[in-house]
Amino acid sequence: MTFSCLDQVLEFAEQSQDRFEADLAELLRIPSVSADPKFRNDIRKAADWLVEHFGKLGLKTELIQTAGHPIVYAESPPVPDAPVALVYGHYDVQPPDPLDLWISPPFEPTVRDGNLYARGATDDKGQMLTHVKSVESWLATGKQLPLQVKFLIEGEEEVGSEHLENFLSGNADKLACDCVVVSDTSQFARGVPAITYGLRGIAYYEIRLTGPNRDLHSGVFGGAVTNPVNALNRILAALIDETGRIQVPGFYDDVAPLSEQEQAEFRALPFDEAAFQRDLDVEGLTGESGFTTLERRWGRPSFDVNGIWGGYQGEGEKTVLPGKAAAKFSFRLVPDQDPDAITASLREMLQRLLPPGIRMELIESHRAPGIVFPLESVYLQAAAEAIEQGFGRRPVFIREGGSIPIVSTFARRLGADVLLLGWGQNDDNLHSPNEKFSLADFHRGIAASAALWDRLAAVCHE
Ligand code: BES
Ligand code: ZN
């Protein structure tokens, strides 16, 4: 494949910037929130939008129904003697709440300072669409793509990818590929593109405590009857000590330690801890003692209460001893921790911590192991070259703390190399109000993706 061919592709992409942005804005206007059943029709609309879009590019396209939200699949024709790339992304988004903190409404995409603001802008509609637009740019030049590209775009990533897991197990042939390309992570910093070679996993729970059969007067009953909110506080506090060590028995047994070399590599990254704190407006940081901030975020497990409720939260005061309390909490996991073993040990520990007069229900939800990919892959090197082409700078290699549950399944089931090529920024506000995606990064991502098809195809011939 000659570079002049790629040049033509890149030129087409450059000339199409306004239209590509308009297409992204159209997709962002659809409130495809997967967690909330009231957005079911919009989830379907976003899937249909993609089907129509892939159809217009001339790709063989299918809408695959599942017991949950539909999967969109599309593929370009096979190319003999060239590898196959499978692009994975998600069209579902996180709920936009709290709405009053958005400067412009979450589903009315708005440009400010070169950023496009909308729920899903970076996570993941904008990032995912870079690959669709790069394929469009290749096809617009009247040439075949230099390799076969398959697209697998799901609508349940933000709720744990349950039905995609099932689909993968029954469709390994259809999805057969040499590498999986995922743009659903971030660059290291502004102007420092990155390839992510590790993600944390997750184990997520809801705990419900029930005490007396009704809310009680805290003066008449307090001090004699166990208060479920007090009990919940004690239980959650017991899960982690003051040095940041998680107290679930056996929790660290399978944690793969960070090698000296990896620690040195983390330290060599241009991480500005003061700027990190300034951005969050916090005057100090905490975490497991003996580890740096990047180690804590990328290479060590963590525990967070994600939500907690119980008792009186209205205006003024109410002297109540509530009958119930509940919380949602999760652990981020690293290789080689096993989410199921952790759940078993956690359940036992919680039972032990329950004070008299309290019943517990523990509900398990998201579950995914942490993952680290080897850096030796030829496809990874090809991706580094493509990023250099699109972003004008060679990427650094990083791990990240977020989870993409299906990624470990890809590696296991399809035996393919996974390329996590993130075009986002750490301050893109994913899962927060005012989510954004830099339009410059959107177009650089399209250019890098266009170059990626060229570089991946070249791998076979080198
Ligand atoms: N795109 C994120 C994951 C991510 C973000 C990885 C930034 C690395 C850097 C993804 O959409 C996400 O938020 N996943 C959830 C998964 C969970 C719901 C099982 C997460 O990590 O909380
Ligand atoms: Zn995402």
Side-chain angles (χ1 to χ4, degrees):
M1 192 56 52
T2 62
F3 271 94
S4 63
C5 184
L6 177 60
D7 286 344
Q8 267 181 43
V9 175
L10 295 176
E11 194 175 318
F12 177 87
E14 199 167 324
Q15 280 162 6
S16 310
Q17 288 192 350
D18 290 349
R19 193 169 49 78
F20 288 174
E21 289 176 18
D23 285 342
L24 173 56
E26 201 175 279
L27 180 58
L28 288 170
R29 243 171 245 127
I30 307 172
S32 43
V33 178
S34 50
D36 186 342
K38 86 170 178 271
F39 293 98
R40 233 193 142 74
N41 284 342
D42 296 300
I43 276 278
R44 181 56 200 253
K45 263 192 221 156
D48 286 343
W49 188 94
L50 282 168
V51 168
E52 197 189 318
H53 215 79
F54 283 128
K56 275 194 212 147
L57 301 189
L59 303 189
K60 209 169 106 194
T61 308
E62 278 173 74
L63 180 81
I64 297 157
Q65 295 292 355
T66 71
H69 302 320
I71 297 165
V72 178
Y73 178 78
E75 61 178 35
S76 65
V79 179
D81 301 324
V84 177
L86 175 75
V87 174
Y88 163 78
H90 60 98
Y91 66 80
D92 65 321
V93 301
Q94 283 274 321
D97 322 63
L99 287 174
D100 54 328
L101 294 183
W102 285 78
I103 294 166
S104 49
F107 299 108
E108 291 176 25
T110 306
V111 180
R112 288 193 297 277
D113 298 332
N115 293 306
L116 185 58
Y117 284 83
R119 172 57 87 231
T122 188
D123 186 10
D124 176 42
K125 289 172 175 172
Q127 295 207 56
M128 175 265 290
L129 211 62
T130 60
H131 300 294
V132 183
K133 292 301 166 190
S134 79
V135 164
E136 179 175 336
S137 303
W138 267 95
L139 298 176
T141 60
K143 309 227 168 39
Q144 280 240 320
L145 277 161
L147 80 179
Q148 184 179 31
V149 181
K150 300 175 173 178
F151 285 96
L152 182 69
I153 315 294
E154 69 153 321
E156 296 189 328
E157 196 275 346
E158 301 291 7
V159 288
S161 302
E162 185 188 333
H163 298 98
L164 184 63
E165 290 276 355
N166 295 342
F167 179 73
L168 275 190
S169 50
N171 290 275
D173 287 347
K174 184 189 189 83
L175 303 175
C177 59
D178 298 280
C179 60
V180 180
V181 177
V182 185
S183 290
D184 194 20
T185 50
S186 298
Q187 301 179 56
F188 180 69
R190 232 165 285 287
V192 190
I195 292 182
T196 297
Y197 67 91
L199 290 172
R200 288 198 289 186
I202 191 166
Y204 198 110
Y205 310 90
E206 179 169 327
I207 181 172
R208 296 182 187 162
L209 298 188
T210 305
N213 59 6
R214 57 191 187 275
D215 284 4
L216 303 174
H217 188 291
S218 67
V220 177
F221 295 92
V225 176
T226 316
N227 177 328
V229 180
N230 292 22
L232 184 60
N233 272 334
R234 294 186 81 91
I235 288 173
L236 291 175
L239 292 180
I240 189 158
D241 75 4
E242 54 290 344
T243 70
R245 285 286 287 190
I246 292 156
Q247 298 296 301
V248 177
F251 188 84
Y252 291 91
D253 286 0
D254 299 324
V255 169
L258 289 161
S259 68
E260 295 273 333
Q261 190 193 335
E262 206 171 17
Q263 289 177 35
E265 282 163 5
F266 284 11
R267 273 196 303 274
L269 289 167
F271 180 61
D272 183 343
E273 188 144 321
F276 179 76
Q277 289 192 35
R278 258 196 320 278
D279 176 50
L280 304 176
D281 208 0
V282 293
E283 277 168 19
L285 298 170
T286 51
E288 191 183 358
S289 62
F291 294 91
T292 66
T293 297
L294 288 186
E295 288 166 358
R296 288 168 177 171
R297 289 169 60 205
W298 298 350
R300 299 293 300 174
S302 59
F303 161 71
D304 278 286
V305 178
N306 305 107
I308 185 162
W309 61 100
Y312 183 66
Q313 287 162 47
E315 286 295 313
E317 301 75 30
K318 183 178 182 195
T319 48
V320 65
L321 191 165
K324 288 178 190 302
K328 291 179 194 274
F329 65 93
S330 53
F331 301 106
R332 294 287 170 170
L333 308 176
V334 298
D336 298 307
Q337 288 181 292
D338 170 7
D340 293 332
I342 284 168
T343 301
S345 177
L346 172 75
R347 203 176 273 285
E348 223 169 79
M349 177 180 181
L350 293 175
Q351 280 301 343
R352 223 178 335 103
L353 288 170
L354 275 192
I358 298 288
R359 290 184 303 273
M360 177 189 76
E361 195 186 350
L362 184 72
I363 301 154
E364 245 185 286
S365 50
H366 307 316
R367 194 168 353 119
I371 185 153
V372 169
F373 301 114
L375 289 173
E376 288 82 56
S377 149
V378 282
Y379 299 113
L380 212 72
Q381 294 314 317
E385 288 168 24
I387 288 177
E388 189 168 7
Q389 170 97 42
F391 285 77
R393 188 180 153 154
R394 254 189 117 70
V396 293
F397 289 87
I398 64 172
R399 286 168 68 168
E400 290 202 73
S403 312
I404 307 176
I406 202 67
V407 158
S408 60
T409 317
F410 280 138
R412 214 177 48 242
R413 284 252 162 74
L414 305 178
D417 288 8
V418 179
L419 308 175
L420 300 173
L421 315 178
W423 318 138
Q425 294 291 347
N426 282 307
D427 63 359
D428 273 348
N429 295 325
L430 51 164
H431 298 202
S432 308
N434 305 309
E435 179 176 345
K436 65 174 170 64
F437 187 33
S438 150
L439 286 170
D441 285 336
F442 177 55
H443 297 299
R444 289 184 194 118
I446 294 169
S449 171
L452 180 67
W453 310 138
D454 189 60
R455 299 317 307 150
L456 288 177
V459 163
C460 256
H461 308 298
E462 274 165 4

